[in-house]
Short mmCIF file of all heavy atoms in Angstrom, two decimals:
data_model
loop_
_atom_site.label_atom_id
_atom_site.label_comp_id
_atom_site.label_asym_id
_atom_site.label_seq_id
_atom_site.Cartn_x
_atom_site.Cartn_y
_atom_site.Cartn_z
N MET A 1 -69.99 118.79 -74.24
CA MET A 1 -70.10 119.59 -75.44
C MET A 1 -69.11 119.04 -76.46
O MET A 1 -67.97 118.77 -76.16
CB MET A 1 -69.78 121.06 -75.12
CG MET A 1 -69.87 121.95 -76.33
SD MET A 1 -69.40 123.68 -76.06
CE MET A 1 -70.53 124.20 -74.82
N ALA A 2 -69.55 118.89 -77.69
CA ALA A 2 -68.68 118.41 -78.76
C ALA A 2 -67.61 119.44 -79.08
O ALA A 2 -67.80 120.64 -78.90
CB ALA A 2 -69.52 118.12 -80.01
N SER A 3 -66.48 118.96 -79.58
CA SER A 3 -65.35 119.86 -79.82
C SER A 3 -65.62 120.84 -80.96
O SER A 3 -64.98 121.87 -81.04
CB SER A 3 -64.09 119.05 -80.12
OG SER A 3 -64.28 118.28 -81.29
N ASN A 4 -66.57 120.54 -81.84
CA ASN A 4 -66.84 121.45 -82.95
C ASN A 4 -67.85 122.53 -82.58
O ASN A 4 -68.11 123.43 -83.36
CB ASN A 4 -67.31 120.69 -84.19
CG ASN A 4 -68.62 119.96 -83.96
OD1 ASN A 4 -69.09 119.84 -82.84
ND2 ASN A 4 -69.20 119.47 -85.04
N GLN A 5 -68.43 122.46 -81.39
CA GLN A 5 -69.36 123.49 -80.95
C GLN A 5 -68.60 124.59 -80.22
O GLN A 5 -67.63 124.32 -79.52
CB GLN A 5 -70.41 122.91 -80.02
CG GLN A 5 -71.37 121.98 -80.70
CD GLN A 5 -72.40 121.43 -79.73
OE1 GLN A 5 -72.10 121.26 -78.54
NE2 GLN A 5 -73.58 121.17 -80.22
N GLN A 6 -69.03 125.81 -80.40
CA GLN A 6 -68.39 126.93 -79.73
C GLN A 6 -69.41 127.63 -78.86
O GLN A 6 -70.58 127.74 -79.22
CB GLN A 6 -67.84 127.92 -80.76
CG GLN A 6 -66.75 127.35 -81.62
CD GLN A 6 -66.22 128.38 -82.60
OE1 GLN A 6 -66.76 129.47 -82.71
NE2 GLN A 6 -65.18 128.02 -83.30
N THR A 7 -68.95 128.12 -77.72
CA THR A 7 -69.82 128.92 -76.88
C THR A 7 -69.83 130.34 -77.42
O THR A 7 -68.91 130.76 -78.12
CB THR A 7 -69.33 128.91 -75.43
OG1 THR A 7 -68.01 129.44 -75.40
CG2 THR A 7 -69.34 127.52 -74.84
N ARG A 8 -70.88 131.07 -77.10
CA ARG A 8 -70.99 132.45 -77.55
C ARG A 8 -69.95 133.29 -76.83
O ARG A 8 -69.72 133.12 -75.64
CB ARG A 8 -72.38 132.98 -77.26
CG ARG A 8 -72.58 134.32 -77.94
CD ARG A 8 -73.94 134.90 -77.79
NE ARG A 8 -75.02 133.94 -77.76
CZ ARG A 8 -76.22 134.25 -77.32
NH1 ARG A 8 -76.49 135.44 -76.88
NH2 ARG A 8 -77.17 133.36 -77.32
N PRO A 9 -69.31 134.22 -77.54
CA PRO A 9 -68.31 135.09 -76.90
C PRO A 9 -68.93 135.93 -75.79
O PRO A 9 -70.08 136.33 -75.86
CB PRO A 9 -67.83 135.99 -78.02
CG PRO A 9 -68.28 135.35 -79.28
CD PRO A 9 -69.46 134.50 -78.94
N GLY A 10 -68.15 136.19 -74.74
CA GLY A 10 -68.61 136.98 -73.62
C GLY A 10 -68.34 138.46 -73.81
O GLY A 10 -67.67 138.88 -74.76
N ILE A 11 -68.85 139.25 -72.89
CA ILE A 11 -68.64 140.70 -72.92
C ILE A 11 -67.15 140.99 -72.87
O ILE A 11 -66.42 140.41 -72.09
CB ILE A 11 -69.38 141.37 -71.76
CG1 ILE A 11 -70.89 141.22 -71.97
CG2 ILE A 11 -69.00 142.85 -71.63
CD1 ILE A 11 -71.74 141.71 -70.81
N GLY A 12 -66.72 141.89 -73.75
CA GLY A 12 -65.32 142.28 -73.82
C GLY A 12 -64.49 141.45 -74.78
O GLY A 12 -63.35 141.80 -75.07
N GLU A 13 -65.04 140.37 -75.30
CA GLU A 13 -64.31 139.53 -76.24
C GLU A 13 -64.59 139.95 -77.67
O GLU A 13 -65.64 140.52 -77.97
CB GLU A 13 -64.69 138.06 -76.05
CG GLU A 13 -64.29 137.50 -74.70
CD GLU A 13 -64.63 136.04 -74.55
OE1 GLU A 13 -65.60 135.55 -75.17
OE2 GLU A 13 -63.92 135.38 -73.80
N LEU A 14 -63.64 139.65 -78.55
CA LEU A 14 -63.84 139.95 -79.96
C LEU A 14 -64.69 138.86 -80.58
O LEU A 14 -64.59 137.69 -80.22
CB LEU A 14 -62.50 140.00 -80.69
CG LEU A 14 -61.62 141.20 -80.42
CD1 LEU A 14 -60.35 141.12 -81.27
CD2 LEU A 14 -62.33 142.50 -80.71
N ALA A 15 -65.54 139.27 -81.52
CA ALA A 15 -66.41 138.33 -82.22
C ALA A 15 -66.68 138.87 -83.61
O ALA A 15 -66.47 140.05 -83.89
CB ALA A 15 -67.72 138.16 -81.47
N GLN A 16 -67.16 138.00 -84.48
CA GLN A 16 -67.53 138.40 -85.82
C GLN A 16 -69.03 138.26 -86.00
O GLN A 16 -69.63 137.27 -85.58
CB GLN A 16 -66.82 137.56 -86.87
CG GLN A 16 -67.15 137.99 -88.29
CD GLN A 16 -66.40 137.21 -89.33
OE1 GLN A 16 -66.13 136.03 -89.15
NE2 GLN A 16 -66.05 137.86 -90.41
N ASP A 17 -69.62 139.27 -86.63
CA ASP A 17 -71.02 139.23 -87.04
C ASP A 17 -71.00 138.58 -88.41
O ASP A 17 -70.61 139.20 -89.40
CB ASP A 17 -71.59 140.64 -87.09
CG ASP A 17 -73.01 140.71 -87.61
OD1 ASP A 17 -73.58 139.66 -87.96
OD2 ASP A 17 -73.54 141.83 -87.68
N SER A 18 -71.35 137.30 -88.48
CA SER A 18 -71.24 136.57 -89.74
C SER A 18 -72.18 137.10 -90.81
O SER A 18 -71.94 136.90 -92.00
CB SER A 18 -71.47 135.08 -89.51
OG SER A 18 -72.77 134.83 -89.03
N ALA A 19 -73.24 137.80 -90.43
CA ALA A 19 -74.16 138.37 -91.42
C ALA A 19 -73.52 139.53 -92.18
O ALA A 19 -73.74 139.69 -93.38
CB ALA A 19 -75.44 138.83 -90.75
N SER A 20 -72.73 140.33 -91.48
CA SER A 20 -72.10 141.50 -92.13
C SER A 20 -70.62 141.30 -92.39
O SER A 20 -70.02 142.06 -93.15
CB SER A 20 -72.30 142.74 -91.26
OG SER A 20 -71.54 142.63 -90.06
N GLY A 21 -70.01 140.33 -91.70
CA GLY A 21 -68.57 140.12 -91.84
C GLY A 21 -67.74 141.03 -90.96
O GLY A 21 -66.52 140.95 -90.95
N ARG A 22 -68.39 141.90 -90.20
CA ARG A 22 -67.67 142.86 -89.35
C ARG A 22 -67.21 142.20 -88.06
O ARG A 22 -67.87 141.33 -87.52
CB ARG A 22 -68.57 144.04 -89.01
CG ARG A 22 -68.96 144.86 -90.23
CD ARG A 22 -70.01 145.89 -89.91
NE ARG A 22 -69.46 146.91 -89.03
CZ ARG A 22 -70.19 147.88 -88.46
NH1 ARG A 22 -71.50 147.93 -88.67
NH2 ARG A 22 -69.62 148.77 -87.68
N VAL A 23 -66.06 142.67 -87.56
CA VAL A 23 -65.51 142.19 -86.30
C VAL A 23 -65.65 143.29 -85.27
O VAL A 23 -65.42 144.47 -85.56
CB VAL A 23 -64.02 141.81 -86.47
CG1 VAL A 23 -63.38 141.48 -85.13
CG2 VAL A 23 -63.87 140.65 -87.43
N GLY A 24 -66.04 142.92 -84.06
CA GLY A 24 -66.20 143.92 -83.01
C GLY A 24 -66.06 143.31 -81.63
O GLY A 24 -65.93 142.10 -81.47
N VAL A 25 -66.10 144.18 -80.64
CA VAL A 25 -66.04 143.78 -79.24
C VAL A 25 -67.47 143.62 -78.74
O VAL A 25 -68.31 144.50 -78.95
CB VAL A 25 -65.31 144.86 -78.40
CG1 VAL A 25 -65.26 144.47 -76.94
CG2 VAL A 25 -63.92 145.13 -78.95
N VAL A 26 -67.75 142.51 -78.09
CA VAL A 26 -69.08 142.28 -77.54
C VAL A 26 -69.28 143.22 -76.36
O VAL A 26 -68.52 143.22 -75.40
CB VAL A 26 -69.25 140.81 -77.08
CG1 VAL A 26 -70.61 140.60 -76.43
CG2 VAL A 26 -69.06 139.86 -78.26
N MET A 27 -70.33 144.05 -76.44
CA MET A 27 -70.61 145.04 -75.41
C MET A 27 -71.75 144.61 -74.49
O MET A 27 -71.87 145.10 -73.37
CB MET A 27 -70.97 146.39 -76.04
CG MET A 27 -69.87 146.95 -76.95
SD MET A 27 -68.27 147.08 -76.16
CE MET A 27 -68.59 148.38 -74.99
N GLY A 28 -72.60 143.72 -74.97
CA GLY A 28 -73.72 143.27 -74.16
C GLY A 28 -74.82 142.72 -75.03
O GLY A 28 -74.65 142.52 -76.24
N GLU A 29 -75.95 142.47 -74.41
CA GLU A 29 -77.12 141.96 -75.12
C GLU A 29 -78.35 142.73 -74.66
O GLU A 29 -78.59 142.87 -73.46
CB GLU A 29 -77.29 140.47 -74.84
CG GLU A 29 -78.31 139.81 -75.71
CD GLU A 29 -78.27 138.30 -75.61
OE1 GLU A 29 -77.23 137.73 -75.28
OE2 GLU A 29 -79.34 137.70 -75.84
N VAL A 30 -79.10 143.27 -75.62
CA VAL A 30 -80.29 144.03 -75.32
C VAL A 30 -81.39 143.62 -76.29
O VAL A 30 -81.16 143.58 -77.51
CB VAL A 30 -80.04 145.56 -75.45
CG1 VAL A 30 -81.32 146.34 -75.27
CG2 VAL A 30 -78.99 146.02 -74.45
N GLY A 31 -82.54 143.32 -75.78
CA GLY A 31 -83.68 142.99 -76.63
C GLY A 31 -83.45 141.78 -77.51
O GLY A 31 -83.95 141.73 -78.63
N GLY A 32 -82.69 140.82 -77.02
CA GLY A 32 -82.46 139.60 -77.80
C GLY A 32 -81.42 139.75 -78.89
O GLY A 32 -81.25 138.85 -79.71
N ARG A 33 -80.72 140.86 -78.92
CA ARG A 33 -79.66 141.08 -79.91
C ARG A 33 -78.36 141.37 -79.19
O ARG A 33 -78.34 141.97 -78.13
CB ARG A 33 -80.00 142.23 -80.84
CG ARG A 33 -81.23 141.94 -81.69
CD ARG A 33 -81.49 143.06 -82.66
NE ARG A 33 -82.72 142.81 -83.36
CZ ARG A 33 -82.77 142.50 -84.65
NH1 ARG A 33 -81.68 142.42 -85.36
NH2 ARG A 33 -83.93 142.30 -85.23
N VAL A 34 -77.27 140.95 -79.81
CA VAL A 34 -75.93 141.19 -79.26
C VAL A 34 -75.43 142.52 -79.81
O VAL A 34 -75.55 142.79 -80.99
CB VAL A 34 -74.96 140.06 -79.65
CG1 VAL A 34 -73.57 140.33 -79.13
CG2 VAL A 34 -75.48 138.72 -79.14
N GLN A 35 -74.90 143.35 -78.92
CA GLN A 35 -74.35 144.63 -79.34
C GLN A 35 -72.84 144.50 -79.47
O GLN A 35 -72.16 144.03 -78.56
CB GLN A 35 -74.69 145.71 -78.33
CG GLN A 35 -76.18 145.99 -78.28
CD GLN A 35 -76.50 147.12 -77.33
OE1 GLN A 35 -76.02 147.13 -76.21
NE2 GLN A 35 -77.30 148.05 -77.80
N LEU A 36 -72.34 144.91 -80.64
CA LEU A 36 -70.92 144.87 -80.92
C LEU A 36 -70.42 146.28 -81.24
O LEU A 36 -71.16 147.08 -81.81
CB LEU A 36 -70.64 143.97 -82.13
CG LEU A 36 -71.00 142.51 -81.91
CD1 LEU A 36 -71.58 141.91 -83.17
CD2 LEU A 36 -69.78 141.75 -81.47
N ARG A 37 -69.19 146.56 -80.85
CA ARG A 37 -68.58 147.85 -81.14
C ARG A 37 -67.31 147.60 -81.94
O ARG A 37 -66.55 146.69 -81.62
CB ARG A 37 -68.24 148.59 -79.85
CG ARG A 37 -67.51 149.91 -80.11
CD ARG A 37 -67.39 150.72 -78.86
NE ARG A 37 -68.72 151.22 -78.55
CZ ARG A 37 -69.07 151.77 -77.41
NH1 ARG A 37 -68.19 151.91 -76.45
NH2 ARG A 37 -70.29 152.20 -77.21
N PRO A 38 -67.02 148.40 -82.97
CA PRO A 38 -65.80 148.20 -83.75
C PRO A 38 -64.56 148.19 -82.83
O PRO A 38 -64.53 148.88 -81.81
CB PRO A 38 -65.76 149.41 -84.68
CG PRO A 38 -67.19 149.84 -84.80
CD PRO A 38 -67.81 149.54 -83.47
N VAL A 39 -63.55 147.43 -83.21
CA VAL A 39 -62.35 147.27 -82.41
C VAL A 39 -61.68 148.62 -82.15
O VAL A 39 -61.19 148.89 -81.06
CB VAL A 39 -61.36 146.30 -83.09
CG1 VAL A 39 -60.09 146.16 -82.28
CG2 VAL A 39 -62.01 144.94 -83.31
N ARG A 40 -61.68 149.51 -83.14
CA ARG A 40 -61.05 150.83 -82.99
C ARG A 40 -61.98 151.84 -82.33
O ARG A 40 -61.65 153.01 -82.20
CB ARG A 40 -60.63 151.37 -84.36
CG ARG A 40 -59.46 150.58 -84.96
CD ARG A 40 -59.03 151.11 -86.28
NE ARG A 40 -58.57 152.49 -86.14
CZ ARG A 40 -58.38 153.31 -87.16
NH1 ARG A 40 -58.61 152.89 -88.39
NH2 ARG A 40 -57.97 154.54 -86.96
N GLY A 41 -63.15 151.40 -81.91
CA GLY A 41 -64.12 152.30 -81.31
C GLY A 41 -65.13 152.77 -82.34
O GLY A 41 -64.98 152.53 -83.52
N GLY A 42 -66.15 153.43 -81.87
CA GLY A 42 -67.19 153.93 -82.78
C GLY A 42 -68.56 153.46 -82.36
O GLY A 42 -68.77 152.99 -81.24
N ARG A 43 -69.48 153.59 -83.25
CA ARG A 43 -70.89 153.28 -82.98
C ARG A 43 -71.15 151.78 -82.96
O ARG A 43 -70.72 151.05 -83.85
CB ARG A 43 -71.75 153.95 -84.04
CG ARG A 43 -73.21 153.62 -83.91
CD ARG A 43 -74.03 154.42 -84.86
NE ARG A 43 -74.61 155.49 -84.05
CZ ARG A 43 -75.15 156.56 -84.54
NH1 ARG A 43 -75.18 156.76 -85.83
NH2 ARG A 43 -75.67 157.46 -83.74
N GLU A 44 -71.87 151.35 -81.94
CA GLU A 44 -72.24 149.94 -81.82
C GLU A 44 -73.26 149.57 -82.88
O GLU A 44 -73.99 150.42 -83.39
CB GLU A 44 -72.84 149.68 -80.44
CG GLU A 44 -71.88 149.83 -79.31
CD GLU A 44 -72.52 149.63 -77.95
OE1 GLU A 44 -73.76 149.43 -77.88
OE2 GLU A 44 -71.79 149.69 -76.96
N TRP A 45 -73.30 148.29 -83.18
CA TRP A 45 -74.36 147.77 -84.03
C TRP A 45 -74.92 146.51 -83.39
O TRP A 45 -74.31 145.91 -82.53
CB TRP A 45 -73.84 147.51 -85.46
CG TRP A 45 -73.03 146.27 -85.66
CD1 TRP A 45 -73.49 145.05 -86.06
CD2 TRP A 45 -71.61 146.12 -85.50
NE1 TRP A 45 -72.45 144.15 -86.15
CE2 TRP A 45 -71.28 144.79 -85.81
CE3 TRP A 45 -70.58 146.98 -85.12
CZ2 TRP A 45 -69.98 144.31 -85.75
CZ3 TRP A 45 -69.29 146.49 -85.06
CH2 TRP A 45 -69.00 145.18 -85.38
N ASP A 46 -76.14 146.17 -83.78
CA ASP A 46 -76.82 145.01 -83.24
C ASP A 46 -76.67 143.84 -84.20
O ASP A 46 -76.71 144.01 -85.42
CB ASP A 46 -78.31 145.27 -83.05
CG ASP A 46 -78.58 146.30 -81.97
OD1 ASP A 46 -77.73 146.45 -81.07
OD2 ASP A 46 -79.65 146.94 -82.01
N ALA A 47 -76.50 142.65 -83.63
CA ALA A 47 -76.41 141.42 -84.42
C ALA A 47 -77.29 140.36 -83.79
O ALA A 47 -77.49 140.35 -82.57
CB ALA A 47 -74.96 140.95 -84.46
N MET A 48 -77.81 139.51 -84.61
CA MET A 48 -78.58 138.38 -84.11
C MET A 48 -77.63 137.42 -83.41
O MET A 48 -76.52 137.16 -83.90
CB MET A 48 -79.30 137.66 -85.26
CG MET A 48 -80.33 138.53 -85.98
SD MET A 48 -81.62 139.16 -84.89
CE MET A 48 -82.44 137.65 -84.45
N PRO A 49 -78.01 136.88 -82.26
CA PRO A 49 -77.12 136.00 -81.50
C PRO A 49 -76.56 134.82 -82.30
O PRO A 49 -75.41 134.45 -82.13
CB PRO A 49 -78.00 135.51 -80.35
CG PRO A 49 -79.02 136.58 -80.18
CD PRO A 49 -79.28 137.11 -81.56
N GLY A 50 -77.36 134.27 -83.18
CA GLY A 50 -76.90 133.14 -84.00
C GLY A 50 -75.84 133.52 -85.01
O GLY A 50 -75.16 132.64 -85.56
N ASN A 51 -75.70 134.82 -85.28
CA ASN A 51 -74.70 135.28 -86.25
C ASN A 51 -73.39 135.71 -85.60
O ASN A 51 -72.45 136.07 -86.29
CB ASN A 51 -75.24 136.46 -87.07
CG ASN A 51 -76.38 136.06 -87.96
OD1 ASN A 51 -76.52 134.89 -88.32
ND2 ASN A 51 -77.21 137.01 -88.32
N VAL A 52 -73.35 135.71 -84.27
CA VAL A 52 -72.15 136.17 -83.56
C VAL A 52 -71.28 134.95 -83.26
O VAL A 52 -71.70 134.05 -82.55
CB VAL A 52 -72.52 136.91 -82.26
CG1 VAL A 52 -71.29 137.32 -81.50
CG2 VAL A 52 -73.37 138.14 -82.59
N VAL A 53 -70.08 134.95 -83.84
CA VAL A 53 -69.18 133.81 -83.67
C VAL A 53 -67.85 134.25 -83.07
O VAL A 53 -67.35 135.34 -83.34
CB VAL A 53 -68.94 133.07 -85.01
CG1 VAL A 53 -70.22 132.43 -85.50
CG2 VAL A 53 -68.37 134.00 -86.05
N ARG A 54 -67.30 133.37 -82.26
CA ARG A 54 -66.00 133.61 -81.63
C ARG A 54 -64.91 133.56 -82.70
O ARG A 54 -64.97 132.77 -83.64
CB ARG A 54 -65.75 132.53 -80.59
CG ARG A 54 -64.49 132.69 -79.80
CD ARG A 54 -64.32 131.57 -78.81
NE ARG A 54 -65.44 131.42 -77.91
CZ ARG A 54 -65.62 132.11 -76.79
NH1 ARG A 54 -64.73 133.01 -76.43
NH2 ARG A 54 -66.66 131.91 -76.03
N LEU A 55 -63.91 134.41 -82.56
CA LEU A 55 -62.78 134.41 -83.47
C LEU A 55 -61.76 133.37 -83.04
O LEU A 55 -61.60 133.11 -81.84
CB LEU A 55 -62.10 135.78 -83.49
CG LEU A 55 -62.92 136.96 -83.99
CD1 LEU A 55 -62.09 138.24 -83.91
CD2 LEU A 55 -63.41 136.75 -85.39
N SER A 56 -61.05 132.83 -84.02
CA SER A 56 -59.92 131.96 -83.68
C SER A 56 -58.80 132.86 -83.13
O SER A 56 -58.84 134.09 -83.29
CB SER A 56 -59.43 131.21 -84.92
OG SER A 56 -58.82 132.11 -85.82
N ALA A 57 -57.81 132.27 -82.51
CA ALA A 57 -56.69 133.05 -81.98
C ALA A 57 -56.01 133.83 -83.10
O ALA A 57 -55.64 135.00 -82.93
CB ALA A 57 -55.69 132.13 -81.29
N ARG A 58 -55.88 133.24 -84.25
CA ARG A 58 -55.25 133.90 -85.40
C ARG A 58 -56.08 135.09 -85.89
O ARG A 58 -55.56 136.16 -86.17
CB ARG A 58 -55.06 132.88 -86.52
CG ARG A 58 -54.36 133.43 -87.72
CD ARG A 58 -54.24 132.37 -88.82
NE ARG A 58 -53.31 132.81 -89.79
CZ ARG A 58 -52.23 132.16 -90.15
NH1 ARG A 58 -51.96 130.99 -89.61
NH2 ARG A 58 -51.43 132.64 -91.06
N GLU A 59 -57.40 134.89 -85.99
CA GLU A 59 -58.29 135.98 -86.42
C GLU A 59 -58.29 137.12 -85.42
O GLU A 59 -58.31 138.29 -85.81
CB GLU A 59 -59.72 135.45 -86.61
CG GLU A 59 -59.87 134.50 -87.77
CD GLU A 59 -61.20 133.77 -87.74
OE1 GLU A 59 -61.72 133.46 -86.65
OE2 GLU A 59 -61.73 133.50 -88.84
N GLU A 60 -58.26 136.79 -84.12
CA GLU A 60 -58.25 137.83 -83.09
C GLU A 60 -56.95 138.63 -83.16
O GLU A 60 -56.98 139.86 -83.10
CB GLU A 60 -58.41 137.22 -81.71
CG GLU A 60 -58.47 138.26 -80.63
CD GLU A 60 -58.85 137.72 -79.27
OE1 GLU A 60 -59.35 136.58 -79.18
OE2 GLU A 60 -58.64 138.45 -78.29
N LEU A 61 -55.83 137.96 -83.31
CA LEU A 61 -54.56 138.65 -83.43
C LEU A 61 -54.54 139.57 -84.65
O LEU A 61 -54.10 140.72 -84.57
CB LEU A 61 -53.41 137.64 -83.51
CG LEU A 61 -52.01 138.22 -83.67
CD1 LEU A 61 -51.66 139.09 -82.46
CD2 LEU A 61 -51.00 137.10 -83.82
N SER A 62 -55.05 139.09 -85.76
CA SER A 62 -55.11 139.89 -86.98
C SER A 62 -55.98 141.14 -86.80
O SER A 62 -55.61 142.24 -87.22
CB SER A 62 -55.66 139.04 -88.13
OG SER A 62 -55.75 139.78 -89.31
N ALA A 63 -57.14 140.98 -86.15
CA ALA A 63 -58.04 142.11 -85.92
C ALA A 63 -57.40 143.14 -84.99
O ALA A 63 -57.48 144.35 -85.24
CB ALA A 63 -59.36 141.63 -85.33
N ARG A 64 -56.75 142.67 -83.93
CA ARG A 64 -56.10 143.60 -83.00
C ARG A 64 -54.92 144.32 -83.65
O ARG A 64 -54.70 145.51 -83.42
CB ARG A 64 -55.66 142.87 -81.74
CG ARG A 64 -56.84 142.43 -80.89
CD ARG A 64 -56.40 141.90 -79.54
NE ARG A 64 -57.49 141.35 -78.79
CZ ARG A 64 -58.37 142.05 -78.09
NH1 ARG A 64 -58.28 143.35 -78.05
NH2 ARG A 64 -59.34 141.45 -77.43
N LEU A 65 -54.16 143.61 -84.49
CA LEU A 65 -53.03 144.22 -85.19
C LEU A 65 -53.52 145.26 -86.19
O LEU A 65 -52.94 146.35 -86.29
CB LEU A 65 -52.20 143.15 -85.89
CG LEU A 65 -50.97 143.63 -86.64
CD1 LEU A 65 -50.01 144.34 -85.69
CD2 LEU A 65 -50.28 142.46 -87.32
N ALA A 66 -54.60 144.97 -86.90
CA ALA A 66 -55.16 145.93 -87.85
C ALA A 66 -55.63 147.19 -87.13
O ALA A 66 -55.40 148.31 -87.62
CB ALA A 66 -56.32 145.30 -88.61
N ALA A 67 -56.24 147.03 -85.96
CA ALA A 67 -56.68 148.20 -85.19
C ALA A 67 -55.48 149.02 -84.72
O ALA A 67 -55.48 150.24 -84.80
CB ALA A 67 -57.51 147.75 -83.99
N ARG A 68 -54.45 148.34 -84.24
CA ARG A 68 -53.24 149.03 -83.77
C ARG A 68 -52.56 149.78 -84.92
O ARG A 68 -52.16 150.93 -84.76
CB ARG A 68 -52.28 148.01 -83.16
CG ARG A 68 -50.95 148.56 -82.75
CD ARG A 68 -51.05 149.35 -81.51
NE ARG A 68 -51.29 148.45 -80.39
CZ ARG A 68 -50.98 148.74 -79.15
NH1 ARG A 68 -50.42 149.89 -78.85
NH2 ARG A 68 -51.24 147.90 -78.21
N ASN A 69 -52.49 149.15 -86.09
CA ASN A 69 -51.89 149.82 -87.24
C ASN A 69 -52.72 151.03 -87.67
O ASN A 69 -52.17 152.07 -88.02
CB ASN A 69 -51.74 148.84 -88.40
CG ASN A 69 -50.62 147.86 -88.21
OD1 ASN A 69 -49.71 148.08 -87.42
ND2 ASN A 69 -50.69 146.74 -88.92
N GLY A 70 -54.03 150.89 -87.64
CA GLY A 70 -54.90 152.01 -87.99
C GLY A 70 -54.74 153.17 -87.04
O GLY A 70 -54.70 154.33 -87.43
N ASN A 71 -54.62 152.85 -85.74
CA ASN A 71 -54.43 153.91 -84.74
C ASN A 71 -53.09 154.60 -84.91
O ASN A 71 -52.98 155.80 -84.72
CB ASN A 71 -54.55 153.32 -83.33
CG ASN A 71 -55.97 152.98 -82.96
OD1 ASN A 71 -56.92 153.45 -83.59
ND2 ASN A 71 -56.12 152.15 -81.94
N SER A 72 -52.06 153.86 -85.28
CA SER A 72 -50.73 154.48 -85.43
C SER A 72 -50.71 155.42 -86.63
O SER A 72 -49.97 156.41 -86.63
CB SER A 72 -49.65 153.42 -85.55
OG SER A 72 -49.74 152.73 -86.78
N ARG A 73 -51.52 155.15 -87.63
CA ARG A 73 -51.56 156.03 -88.82
C ARG A 73 -52.19 157.38 -88.49
O ARG A 73 -51.90 158.36 -89.14
CB ARG A 73 -52.33 155.36 -89.94
CG ARG A 73 -51.52 154.29 -90.66
CD ARG A 73 -52.19 153.85 -91.95
NE ARG A 73 -53.35 153.04 -91.72
CZ ARG A 73 -53.32 151.71 -91.58
NH1 ARG A 73 -52.19 151.07 -91.63
NH2 ARG A 73 -54.43 151.04 -91.40
N VAL A 74 -53.05 157.39 -87.48
CA VAL A 74 -53.72 158.66 -87.12
C VAL A 74 -53.12 159.26 -85.85
O VAL A 74 -53.65 160.22 -85.31
CB VAL A 74 -55.25 158.48 -86.96
CG1 VAL A 74 -55.88 158.11 -88.29
CG2 VAL A 74 -55.59 157.50 -85.88
N GLY A 75 -52.03 158.68 -85.38
CA GLY A 75 -51.32 159.26 -84.25
C GLY A 75 -51.88 158.95 -82.88
O GLY A 75 -51.66 159.67 -81.93
N LEU A 76 -52.61 157.86 -82.73
CA LEU A 76 -53.15 157.46 -81.42
C LEU A 76 -52.25 156.48 -80.72
O LEU A 76 -51.55 155.74 -81.22
CB LEU A 76 -54.56 156.86 -81.58
CG LEU A 76 -55.61 157.80 -82.11
CD1 LEU A 76 -56.92 157.05 -82.29
CD2 LEU A 76 -55.81 158.98 -81.20
#
């Protein structure tokens, strides 16, 4: 595999839906679509597999930090 190719993120990993720009946790695949759930929890959404991309280490850290900060503001 070439170094510029990325494998699709697995269940439980963070990924971005490039069509919407949203970041979520990969929950599974149903009916040919990848199901993602927001990092802070909430309702899943479906994304086309070709639009689901793995986050870089920096992007993942940023997404997790934003979720943690959001949770601390609401007392979680």
Side-chain angles (χ1 to χ4, degrees):
M1 180 184 301
S3 62
N4 63 348
Q5 291 180 329
Q6 296 181 353
T7 59
R8 190 177 326 163
I11 293 174
E13 295 182 331
L14 288 182
Q16 182 177 34
D17 176 359
S18 62
S20 68
R22 296 171 67 188
V23 173
V25 179
V26 176
M27 302 306 292
E29 190 169 334
V30 174
R33 296 184 185 249
V34 178
Q35 293 183 312
L36 296 143
R37 176 170 288 168
V39 179
R40 291 181 61 194
R43 176 173 258 164
E44 293 177 357
W45 78 93
D46 292 336
M48 297 302 294
N51 293 337
V52 177
V53 294
R54 184 181 304 276
L55 297 179
S56 69
R58 183 182 194 123
E59 292 168 325
E60 183 171 344
L61 179 61
S62 179
R64 290 189 187 279
L65 182 59
R68 174 75 71 156
N69 286 340
N71 287 342
S72 69
R73 283 192 287 272
V74 295
L76 296 177

